[in-house]
Amino acid sequence: MLRALAVDDEKPSLEELLYLLNADPRVSSAEGANDATEALRRINRALESGPDGPDAIDVVFLDIHMAGLDGLDLARLLTGFARPPLVVFVTAHEGFAVQAFDLKAVDYVLKPVRRERLAEAIRRAAQLREATTAPPPPIPVHEPDPDQIPVELGGVTRFVAVDDITHVEAQGDYARLHTPQGSHLVRIPLSTLEERWRARGFVRIHRRHLVALRHVGELRLDAGTVSVLVGPVELQVSRRHARELRDLLMRRTTG
């Protein structure tokens, strides 16, 4: 709903414009001013009231030719305000349209004012007001990229590809991610990474280690102990995890 101010120094024209404005369902209130100086005082009061205050004005329907300060002068003054109302020019003169739109006018309505033409100007003003007062769209929440994990290093965030991680080592509440290029410490418990990356082929082999099956080069059995070779690194496999690991590796190579 628009709150409107009509400005015209000719009383019959002002009364007719106010009648048409009040008859439009998109206009909640319409009041008049007999000249630009009176209108400027009313607009200043509206701006002091704030956009949701009782004296707020959304749009000014403004005649151009008036005694003293004319409509174009008033519109120029409004461009210097932080949050000016919208402006629709209502005039009997066609020759000022370019200047009007240079001043960011919403519309330029010629007298005698037709109800249908004024309704179009009101529609444009209502549409613009809705666009400028609507709350900003919510910031989209992006799910973490399952193919990467962010790591901090000296104030810089890098993104490590999960497929490059050969194994993960528990270090208290942290986990150290090992890749062929180096290692990175993240503040994520090993148990969390085990759950998160199980479907990506990471398997617990020890209370301190996860390994990526794709990076296991050898499974070694020596005097009852089991270990795996991950790149150049040999990792011990606990007895409770040995059978599951062996079965997973066998299924992976024969599947």
Side-chain angles (χ1 to χ4, degrees):
M1 298 290 284
L2 292 172
R3 296 156 293 186
L5 174 67
V7 187
D8 198 315
D9 62 350
E10 296 180 355
K11 186 176 181 181
S13 295
L14 180 60
E15 290 178 347
E16 175 68 12
L17 182 56
L18 287 172
Y19 172 78
L20 293 173
L21 288 171
N22 282 308
D24 193 291
R26 291 163 297 192
V27 177
S28 61
S29 64
E31 56 182 290
N34 294 311
D35 56 45
T37 302
E38 181 186 348
L40 189 58
R41 285 196 296 266
R42 178 64 186 83
I43 292 166
N44 274 315
R45 191 163 77 246
L47 294 175
E48 290 172 0
S49 175
D52 299 316
D55 294 322
I57 294 172
D58 300 309
V59 57
V60 179
F61 292 83
L62 183 58
D63 189 18
I64 289 182
H65 274 298
M66 293 183 289
L69 195 69
D70 69 18
L72 292 172
D73 292 332
L74 176 57
R76 289 189 190 96
L77 288 173
L78 293 181
T79 61
F81 287 62
R83 297 187 64 179
L86 301 171
V87 172
V88 174
F89 284 102
V90 182
T91 178
H93 303 278
E94 298 183 12
F96 297 97
V98 173
Q99 296 178 61
F101 288 115
D102 283 345
L103 292 169
K104 311 300 183 187
V106 174
D107 208 343
Y108 192 89
V109 180
L110 290 174
K111 297 178 181 178
V113 179
R114 294 183 294 109
R115 184 188 299 268
E116 297 79 7
R117 182 64 184 87
L118 184 64
E120 173 61 17
I122 293 170
R123 183 196 67 78
R124 292 181 184 180
Q127 190 175 50
L128 272 175
R129 180 183 178 274
E130 183 178 357
T132 56
T133 59
I139 298 174
V141 178
H142 297 289
E143 293 295 326
D145 186 344
D147 296 327
Q148 294 182 322
I149 182 169
V151 297
E152 300 289 335
L153 183 62
V156 176
T157 302
R158 295 182 57 195
F159 294 90
V160 175
V162 175
D163 286 348
D164 289 343
I165 298 170
T166 59
H167 61 288
V168 185
E169 180 183 1
Q171 294 189 347
D173 292 331
Y174 292 76
R176 183 167 293 278
L177 313 176
H178 292 269
T179 72
Q181 294 77 35
S183 67
H184 309 277
L185 197 64
V186 294
R187 191 168 187 175
I188 305 175
L190 193 69
S191 58
T192 299
L193 293 178
E194 178 185 11
E195 179 67 25
R196 185 183 299 176
W197 291 344
R198 180 178 292 120
R200 301 184 68 98
F202 282 80
V203 179
R204 177 82 73 124
I205 64 167
H206 190 276
R207 63 182 179 82
R208 293 191 56 208
H209 290 110
L210 292 177
V211 297
L213 293 176
R214 70 177 68 84
H215 290 291
V216 174
E218 293 182 11
L219 178 67
R220 297 179 174 179
L221 304 174
D222 183 18
T225 64
V226 181
S227 62
V228 289
L229 196 64
V230 184
V233 180
E234 185 174 0
L235 299 173
Q236 202 73 26
V237 181
S238 67
R239 185 172 299 177
R240 60 177 295 203
H241 295 293
R243 174 170 298 204
E244 179 188 9
L245 175 62
R246 186 169 57 247
D247 291 344
L248 287 170
L249 287 173
M250 292 299 294
R251 284 205 297 270
R252 184 170 179 272
T253 55
T254 59

